[in-house]
Amino acid sequence: MREILLAKLGEVVLKGLNRRGFEDVLLANIRRRVAAFGPFDVREAQSTVYVTPKEGADLDAAGERIAKVFGIATFSRACELPKDLGAICAGAAEYLNRELSAAGTFKVECRRSDKKFPYRSPEICARVGGYLQEKFPRLRVDVEHPGFTVRVEVRDFAAYVHGSARRGAGGIPVGTGGKAAVLISGGIDSPVAAWMMARRGVELTAVHFASPPYTSERAEQKAADLLRRVGEYAGRMTMFTVPFAKVQEEILARCPEEFFTVIMRRFMMRAAERIAVGQGCGALVTGESLGQVASQTLQAIACTDAAARMPVFRPLIGMDKVDIIALARRIGTYDLSILPYEDCCTVFTPRHPRTRPALEAVLRAEEPLDAEALLADCAARVKTTKIEPNR
């Protein structure tokens, strides 16, 4: 009796003529993500990915990794059995012995994908259920509210028996949605935004703004650690760290204080866009949520977007902070985000920022700045860090 992982495709099954391309990317992602845990055979048929371990492979670790691969709706550990009803009954009793021994009630569900199999699904359920009741006399059948559900799948290759399926990461495979550059801070929001875009198949490049000596190396390390956590889902990426203190000092010295934040954000967009173009990205991503702070009003966002030529995606724009925090906890970034290392966005915060700036006023306020010289200086001193996902 061989144990494997069965992973069910999610949104990919809704794709049309290009579905095969999505499936190929998904299989490549799974192979890459489980390779560290030994040799596996990974193949797809009938909207299901079969992850079969070879000698020396760690199925437990592979399962934990597959839980974070975008494109998978649910997955389960299952035993592979011959397509023989007697073998299925005996295999179910042996493989699920612990769960059935602990349960008071149960039911059997069956999916017969191989229509050549001589027994229909109701017959399989009845025969397997009767056999299990003989083996576990204390079990009672309860089809409405069972304590445990035995699932039987009769497929082209073999029959499979398993218990409850685990929820997968959902979404579509990373690498099918193009490339984008995410502006990553050390806060709660931007890592969640990065995760959400990766879930839509986007391959990420990260841009972090550092302001030494006003911010510490720990703040930059915190951003890298957050990306490693996101990378458990999104895969490897590159972080470009932009030295930003000089830009902020020039804005503070030459521009009205009330426009400091929106002008700073505009320079961030320009600097990030230059990196994004160089990396072949088609969009920028930020963690902004409408109305959360002074720079995230409709008017301020419009002024910020006017500085960029490529689209700016804000996946959190309509989310409540409580919901963002809940998602950060779920994906494992929250505890890192609340570490007390401030990022450059908290440096030189104005006392009374303009919350509804007009673009014309912002452009006039920027006139004393030599934007090209400042951006060229930033570009000349960018640091590159390769981010490998946490193992």
Side-chain angles (χ1 to χ4, degrees):
M1 182 166 48
R2 182 167 64 174
E3 190 173 29
I4 73 167
L5 291 171
L6 291 179
K8 303 300 176 69
L9 303 187
E11 189 177 334
V12 171
V13 301
L14 303 178
K15 304 303 176 184
L17 296 177
N18 60 348
R19 172 175 167 174
R20 184 70 252 175
F22 283 83
E23 291 173 344
D24 289 343
V25 173
L26 175 59
L27 293 177
N29 289 349
I30 292 174
R31 291 186 183 109
R32 184 167 55 250
R33 302 293 283 280
V34 303
F37 308 119
F40 290 87
D41 177 57
V42 180
R43 59 178 172 170
E44 185 272 337
Q46 298 175 314
S47 301
T48 299
V49 178
Y50 302 77
V51 182
T52 305
K54 299 180 181 179
E55 186 176 356
D58 186 341
L59 195 64
D60 290 333
E64 293 305 314
R65 185 58 55 86
I66 284 176
K68 296 179 179 179
V69 175
F70 290 127
I72 298 298
T74 62
F75 68 99
S76 55
R77 294 174 70 127
C79 71
E80 185 178 86
L81 300 164
K83 288 195 290 186
D84 172 83
L85 193 51
I88 293 171
C89 291
E94 179 183 350
Y95 183 65
L96 301 173
N97 176 71
R98 185 178 61 182
E99 293 85 349
L100 291 168
S101 296
T105 59
F106 83 113
K107 74 173 181 177
V108 179
E109 292 182 350
C110 179
R111 179 178 179 183
R112 185 182 64 123
S113 300
D114 180 5
K115 302 307 180 186
K116 295 179 181 179
F117 191 68
Y119 300 94
R120 295 180 180 275
S121 294
E123 297 174 86
I124 298 170
C125 291
R127 289 280 295 273
V128 174
Y131 182 90
L132 294 177
Q133 277 194 295
E134 291 179 6
K135 290 292 183 179
F136 302 89
R138 61 185 296 271
L139 277 178
R140 292 184 299 103
V141 174
D142 185 344
V143 296
E144 296 295 331
H145 305 287
F148 183 74
T149 301
V150 176
R151 292 175 170 85
V152 179
E153 301 187 38
V154 182
R155 295 181 164 271
D156 286 349
F157 307 126
Y160 303 90
V161 171
H162 59 90
S164 299
R166 287 180 57 184
R167 177 183 178 185
I172 57 178
V174 172
T176 60
K179 298 179 66 176
V182 58
L183 281 67
I184 190 82
S185 70
I188 295 171
D189 300 337
S190 58
V192 175
W195 181 89
M196 291 180 71
M197 293 306 298
R199 194 168 188 255
R200 300 313 305 160
V202 175
E203 183 181 343
L204 297 173
T205 290
V207 182
H208 176 67
F209 293 90
S211 296
Y214 307 106
T215 59
S216 69
E217 291 184 3
R218 288 186 173 183
E220 183 181 341
Q221 183 61 49
K222 176 183 173 182
D225 290 342
L226 284 165
L227 289 173
R228 291 188 185 94
R229 191 64 57 81
V230 173
E232 294 174 17
Y233 296 87
R236 62 174 64 95
M237 65 188 86
T238 301
M239 181 176 81
F240 294 86
T241 301
V242 180
F244 207 57
K246 184 175 180 180
V247 173
Q248 291 178 297
E249 290 170 345
E250 285 292 299
I251 297 172
L252 184 67
R254 299 178 182 276
C255 303
E257 182 186 15
E258 61 184 338
F259 291 116
F260 176 87
T261 302
V262 68
I263 293 174
M264 178 188 72
R265 295 290 298 173
R266 284 169 55 81
F267 270 84
M268 286 180 170
M269 289 295 182
R270 291 169 175 146
E273 186 174 54
R274 294 188 178 198
I275 292 170
V277 169
Q279 295 301 303
C281 298
L284 301 175
V285 178
T286 79
E288 292 165 300
S289 173
L290 185 63
Q292 186 170 219
V293 294
S295 64
Q296 295 175 18
T297 63
L298 283 175
Q299 295 87 345
I301 288 173
C303 290
T304 300
D305 281 2
R309 290 184 293 274
M310 63 174 52
V312 181
F313 295 148
R314 295 177 172 87
L316 312 186
I317 194 68
M319 291 182 67
D320 185 274
K321 190 69 174 184
V322 173
D323 297 326
I324 297 171
I325 289 173
L327 186 47
R329 291 184 187 276
R330 175 184 154 196
I331 66 176
T333 57
Y334 179 76
D335 289 341
L336 286 172
S337 292
I338 62 174
L339 293 175
Y341 308 128
E342 294 187 339
D343 58 56
C344 74
C345 292
T346 61
V347 176
F348 308 131
T349 303
R351 290 167 295 179
H352 303 291
R354 182 73 68 91
T355 58
R356 293 176 173 79
L359 181 58
E360 296 78 7
V362 173
L363 294 174
R364 286 195 300 271
E366 278 185 0
E367 287 178 356
L369 300 172
D370 187 342
E372 283 304 313
L374 289 171
L375 291 169
D377 180 68
C378 287
R381 296 185 293 122
V382 167
K383 184 175 78 173
T384 301
T385 305
K386 296 295 183 182
I387 303 294
E388 291 290 337
N390 290 334
R391 295 298 181 186

